[in-house]
Amino acid sequence: MEKLIEWLGPINYVTIDFSARLEAGVKQFFNEEQILKCAFHAPQLLNRGLLKELTRLKNEKYQDEIKELSFLGRLSLEFEAKKRNNKQTELKFADSKKAWQIYLKLRSLFSLSNPVKIEARFIQFLSELSLTHWKGANLLKEKCRSLVPAHGLTEKGLETFKSRVYRAWRAIIRSFRKELEDLKSGFQDAKYLVLMNPINMDRFEKKALRKALAKFPWLRPIRRIMTKFYYQFRLSPAKRCSLNFLLGLVSECCHSWLKSAVDTLIRCEEQIFRFQVLIEKYPALKNVKSIKVVDESTMRKINKLYQTQFGMRTVETLEMRLKHYLECPFIIVPSVLEELKS
């Protein structure tokens, strides 16, 4: 930092990211009013936290239930193969619990030995199925009615009948799992659209976002908060509101990265929007662009130089070749310089 100040001369303001260690170093040379937090890194910090949270929500709403439905299918096969006898199963989702209750009811019904009684009980079970409030009730009823033989159940056809009913139940479970997998797949694209800056979106992306919000309505509150957040960077200091509205993204069970990001943004709010005050004070700064401190093309060149070394045996050769190859001024940290000389 000393070398940078020596090279650039008097510096009025410095813009940094949210690194605590970098800020600690900068504060040794600049006072609080001179430090700005980067307006690019602020949304990036929030987006990273939200991506973690949306992944958690995806698992909570889709992935975990998909796994539970798959587990139920495997468990039913184990029961039918008589590899499992314990009917007590811990389930998390209401639909899974109801589906398993239906399956256990079928097993209880089929445990009778008289085919006539089984048929009578089964027909009664189908008529009462809609009262269970399971979303697959009507579908199971349609599938099972066609399975009852016209001439009635017989001892000989009983095992085949049971097997077909169980398969019908598993087919419904698979269809629900497929629906959730389709939702999970669509959610992967939706979560990035929800986080986009409205200014940077084209017509196609806006149309895709509307479809995504219709498909996943629970994402609407997140989108409203993100839109409001991006809008703050376009307002004057007098019209801008506090970032406390970001607390609407945080819940007790949300991801720790999101909690940390929101806390950091609220705490650093004055530094983040200090550029608005400077632009009002110095209108000429509006079109000024900062130095790119991490330029991908430059980094590739440096990596190539590091790999080939270009015969840089002395500090003088190193400076000469780097200046020529990178086409820009650079500073060698004193500690590195001492290491090179030794």
Side-chain angles (χ1 to χ4, degrees), residues 72 75 79 87 89 96-104:
L72 285 186
L75 188 62
F79 268 88
K87 295 181 180 181
T89 305
S96 300
K97 290 177 182 178
K98 289 175 183 175
W100 189 240
Q101 287 169 3
I102 297 293
Y103 179 79
L104 293 179

Side-chain angles (χ1 to χ4, degrees), residues 134-162:
W134 179 46
K135 65 178 182 179
N138 291 331
L139 195 55
L140 183 63
K141 193 184 292 186
E142 288 176 16
K143 286 177 176 288
C144 289
R145 275 179 177 163
S146 61
L147 296 177
V148 179
H151 52 75
L153 276 177
T154 62
E155 194 80 40
K156 187 178 179 180
L158 186 57
E159 289 303 318
T160 303
F161 174 72
K162 290 180 185 179

Side-chain angles (χ1 to χ4, degrees), residues 245-262:
F245 66 85
L246 291 177
L247 291 170
L249 296 170
V250 179
S251 63
E252 287 185 10
C253 55
C254 76
H255 198 281
S256 59
W257 280 32
L258 178 59
K259 289 180 182 178
S260 176
V262 170

Side-chain angles (χ1 to χ4, degrees), residues 71-85 100 103 107 170:
F71 167 72
L72 285 186
R74 293 193 304 271
L75 188 62
S76 65
L77 289 170
E78 289 178 8
F79 268 88
E80 289 156 43
K82 298 182 180 179
K83 294 180 181 179
R84 290 283 290 265
N85 294 317
W100 189 240
Y103 179 79
R107 288 194 64 81
R170 274 192 291 273

Side-chain angles (χ1 to χ4, degrees), residues 237-299:
K239 293 181 179 180
R240 184 178 56 78
C241 67
S242 168
L243 290 184
N244 285 330
F245 66 85
L246 291 177
L247 291 170
L249 296 170
V250 179
S251 63
E252 287 185 10
C253 55
C254 76
H255 198 281
S256 59
W257 280 32
L258 178 59
K259 289 180 182 178
S260 176
V262 170
D263 289 344
T264 301
L265 290 173
I266 292 173
R267 177 169 47 82
C268 301
E269 179 177 351
E270 188 178 344
Q271 291 176 325
I272 294 169
F273 294 102
R274 191 164 283 156
F275 76 93
Q276 295 172 330
V277 178
L278 292 180
I279 288 172
E280 281 196 347
K281 192 174 180 181
Y282 307 105
L285 289 175
K286 189 171 183 179
N287 298 318
V288 172
K289 293 185 178 180
S290 62
I291 299 171
K292 254 190 176 180
V293 292
V294 182
D295 186 348
E296 293 298 327
S297 61
T298 303
M299 292 305 295

Side-chain angles (χ1 to χ4, degrees), residues 63-329:
Q63 187 63 34
D64 292 347
E65 191 168 0
I66 288 169
K67 288 180 179 178
E68 194 162 276
L69 289 171
S70 298
F71 167 72
L72 285 186
R74 293 193 304 271
L75 188 62
S76 65
L77 289 170
E78 289 178 8
F79 268 88
E80 289 156 43
K82 298 182 180 179
K83 294 180 181 179
R84 290 283 290 265
N85 294 317
N86 183 13
K87 295 181 180 181
Q88 294 296 324
T89 305
E90 291 293 329
L91 298 172
K92 179 181 176 182
F93 297 92
D95 281 330
S96 300
K97 290 177 182 178
K98 289 175 183 175
W100 189 240
Q101 287 169 3
I102 297 293
Y103 179 79
L104 293 179
K105 179 69 176 175
L106 287 169
R107 288 194 64 81
S108 174
L109 193 152
F110 291 148
S111 65
L112 299 173
S113 56
N114 189 329
V116 177
K117 285 186 178 180
I118 289 175
E119 183 177 348
R121 294 273 186 91
F122 183 71
I123 291 170
Q124 183 184 357
F125 166 75
L126 291 181
S127 64
E128 296 172 352
L129 195 56
S130 57
L131 300 176
T132 61
H133 304 293
W134 179 46
K135 65 178 182 179
N138 291 331
L139 195 55
L140 183 63
K141 193 184 292 186
E142 288 176 16
K143 286 177 176 288
C144 289
R145 275 179 177 163
S146 61
L147 296 177
V148 179
H151 52 75
L153 276 177
T154 62
E155 194 80 40
K156 187 178 179 180
L158 186 57
E159 289 303 318
T160 303
F161 174 72
K162 290 180 185 179
S163 177
R164 287 178 178 175
V165 171
Y166 291 146
R167 281 205 300 267
W169 178 85
R170 274 192 291 273
I172 294 169
I173 295 297
R174 281 196 301 273
S175 69
F176 291 158
R177 193 183 72 199
K178 179 68 167 58
E179 287 175 13
L180 289 170
E181 285 171 347
D182 290 342
L183 281 171
K184 188 185 81 169
S185 177
F187 180 77
Q188 286 296 105
D189 297 327
K191 70 179 182 182
Y192 291 105
L193 290 168
V194 166
L195 300 181
M196 284 188 72
N197 189 335
I199 301 171
N200 300 332
M201 297 180 76
D202 56 29
R203 286 176 57 190
F204 172 78
E205 288 168 332
K206 289 178 181 178
K207 185 177 179 181
L209 176 62
R210 286 194 294 271
K211 288 183 178 179
L213 293 177
K215 195 173 183 180
F216 308 100
W218 52 274
L219 286 176
R220 290 182 186 276
I222 295 175
R223 180 57 186 173
R224 282 195 290 269
I225 291 174
M226 289 303 295
T227 302
K228 187 176 180 179
F229 175 67
Y230 284 119
Y231 191 56
Q232 303 310 304
F233 292 89
R234 301 166 60 190
L235 296 173
S236 64
K239 293 181 179 180
R240 184 178 56 78
C241 67
S242 168
L243 290 184
N244 285 330
F245 66 85
L246 291 177
L247 291 170
L249 296 170
V250 179
S251 63
E252 287 185 10
C253 55
C254 76
H255 198 281
S256 59
W257 280 32
L258 178 59
K259 289 180 182 178
S260 176
V262 170
D263 289 344
T264 301
L265 290 173
I266 292 173
R267 177 169 47 82
C268 301
E269 179 177 351
E270 188 178 344
Q271 291 176 325
I272 294 169
F273 294 102
R274 191 164 283 156
F275 76 93
Q276 295 172 330
V277 178
L278 292 180
I279 288 172
E280 281 196 347
K281 192 174 180 181
Y282 307 105
L285 289 175
K286 189 171 183 179
N287 298 318
V288 172
K289 293 185 178 180
S290 62
I291 299 171
K292 254 190 176 180
V293 292
V294 182
D295 186 348
E296 293 298 327
S297 61
T298 303
M299 292 305 295
R300 282 196 293 270
K301 287 181 179 180
I302 291 172
N303 287 334
K304 187 177 179 181
L305 280 170
Y306 176 76
Q307 290 164 10
T308 58
Q309 294 184 9
F310 278 132
M312 293 182 281
R313 298 180 184 278
T314 63
V315 175
E316 292 73 19
T317 309
L318 173 70
E319 288 190 88
M320 183 267 292
R321 288 191 179 276
L322 281 174
K323 283 180 180 176
H324 174 73
Y325 192 68
L326 299 178
E327 299 176 342
C328 68

